Amino acid sequence: MKLRKAGIATISVLALALTATACGDGGKKDKGGSGSDSSGGSKSIKIGIKYDQPGIGQKAPDGSFAGFDVDVATFVAKELGYSEDQIEFVETPSADRETALKRGDVEFIAASYSINDERDKLVDFAGPYLLAHQDLLVASDSDIKEGTDLNGKKLCSVSGSTSAQNVKKEIAPKAQLKELSTYSECLEGLAGGSIDALTTDDSILAGYASQEQYKGKFKLAGLKLSNENYGIGVKDGNTALKDKINTALEKMVADGAWQKAVDDNFGPAGYKNEPAPKIGNIVK
């Protein structure tokens, strides 16, 4: 009889232990990040950004990151339940963005990622979180005020970009197009007087012009030559994450953090930003 009672007691203890273990697992928060462990929790989240765009996404020599997209991505990650030390930023060049999401290399991408019909077939987009425009960056004392003023002037952009080609084709056919390897090279030419204007998205131009060595030397022409709706890319079909990111973006705008990020990253170039776009409102 004593043996039987001991057996019952042992079984009871085991049952209680199993119940407690089950309750403990159920209380863990599954963040759903790319660093998820076997128990369903998550240690980190990988986010795709640019490493070489001042004001947008840039990696400093000390390994730190700065830029508008970095601020947006950090805010979103925190709303998803991650602390800053749990965020791992991954360099995601433009040509590799869709592939990186498909492979699962990153959980989401915030990298001056303009929403368009072709990309929308391959990934899902949260946002938009910024409405940018193709524009011109010129010297602060330049008399270029409209696109046609570029006729006979030297216009710079990076090799393979459609921005300068569009200006030359649609607005200033007599512009002298110069294509260089990087925007930084174009900017150096603009500072030295060998280039009259640089063209790409106004947010990117503002980021470059906001660098300490260039403050006060350049201005945006404010021509709004195109509409670029920046979105946060997630893997195609991941509507749950997309919805969570949209909620985070709405909160970022509502509490003033979005405007602060705009002012901090683009303000020195006199960037006149559009109001924060409404989620799902794509301006054609």
Side-chain angles (χ1 to χ4, degrees):
M1 293 295 291
K2 287 182 181 180
L3 179 62
R4 184 172 180 274
K5 285 181 180 179
I8 292 173
T10 301
I11 292 170
S12 298
V13 170
L14 287 171
L16 286 170
L18 288 170
T19 301
T21 301
C23 290
D25 287 345
K28 285 184 179 180
K29 184 177 180 182
D30 183 1
K31 298 170 185 172
S34 49
S36 297
D37 60 30
S38 58
S39 65
S42 180
K43 298 176 181 177
S44 65
I45 184 169
K46 293 182 179 180
I47 303 172
I49 62 167
K50 294 288 182 65
Y51 274 20
D52 59 352
Q53 286 187 341
I56 300 287
Q58 187 176 35
K59 184 177 182 179
D62 65 1
S64 62
F65 298 91
F68 180 71
D69 282 349
V70 174
D71 290 346
V72 170
T74 300
F75 188 97
V76 168
K78 286 181 177 179
E79 289 301 303
L80 293 177
Y82 298 89
S83 60
E84 283 195 43
D85 61 2
Q86 291 176 310
I87 299 172
E88 181 181 345
F89 288 117
V90 178
E91 183 173 21
T92 314
S94 296
D96 196 41
R97 289 179 295 205
E98 290 81 16
T99 305
L101 286 170
K102 186 176 181 179
R103 286 194 305 249
D105 296 344
V106 294
E107 196 75 7
F108 65 83
I109 293 175
S112 55
Y113 204 178
S114 296
I115 302 170
N116 61 37
D117 292 340
E118 287 303 310
R119 291 169 179 165
D120 206 27
K121 295 175 184 176
L122 302 173
V123 304
D124 278 351
F125 282 104
Y129 63 92
L130 182 73
L131 176 59
H133 306 282
Q134 184 186 342
D135 200 357
L136 302 176
L137 189 71
V138 297
S140 55
D141 60 352
S142 173
D143 58 359
I144 295 175
K145 296 179 180 178
E146 54 187 49
T148 53
D149 291 339
L150 286 169
N151 281 312
K153 300 290 179 66
K154 295 175 183 176
L155 174 65
C156 190
S157 194
V158 296
S159 300
S161 169
T162 59
S163 300
Q165 297 285 354
N166 290 340
V167 171
K168 186 171 174 60
K169 182 179 178 181
E170 304 292 339
I171 301 171
K174 295 182 180 180
Q176 299 173 39
L177 181 56
K178 190 166 186 177
E179 294 181 297
L180 299 177
S181 299
T182 66
Y183 290 119
S184 293
E185 290 180 83
C186 287
L187 211 61
E188 289 172 7
L190 190 59
S194 61
I195 298 295
D196 296 304
L198 163 60
T199 187
T200 188
D201 295 358
D202 54 6
S203 57
I204 296 174
L205 294 173
Y208 275 99
S210 294
Q211 295 176 96
E212 189 64 35
Q213 68 268 35
Y214 294 127
K215 286 182 180 178
K217 293 185 178 181
F218 307 119
K219 65 182 179 182
L220 289 161
L223 300 186
K224 298 184 179 181
L225 301 174
S226 70
N227 295 319
E228 307 296 335
N229 300 270
Y230 288 4
I232 291 181
V234 302
K235 188 174 183 179
D236 188 36
N238 195 345
T239 54
L241 179 58
K242 173 184 172 180
D243 291 344
K244 290 177 182 178
I245 293 175
N246 280 335
T247 298
L249 292 174
E250 288 174 337
K251 182 177 180 180
M252 187 177 187
V253 172
D255 69 8
W258 182 89
Q259 188 60 54
K260 183 178 185 302
V262 170
D263 295 340
D264 288 348
N265 293 291
F266 305 134
Y271 179 62
K272 296 179 176 60
N273 66 281
E274 296 278 7
K278 292 183 178 180
I279 299 300
N281 183 24
I282 307 300
V283 180
K284 300 293 187 179

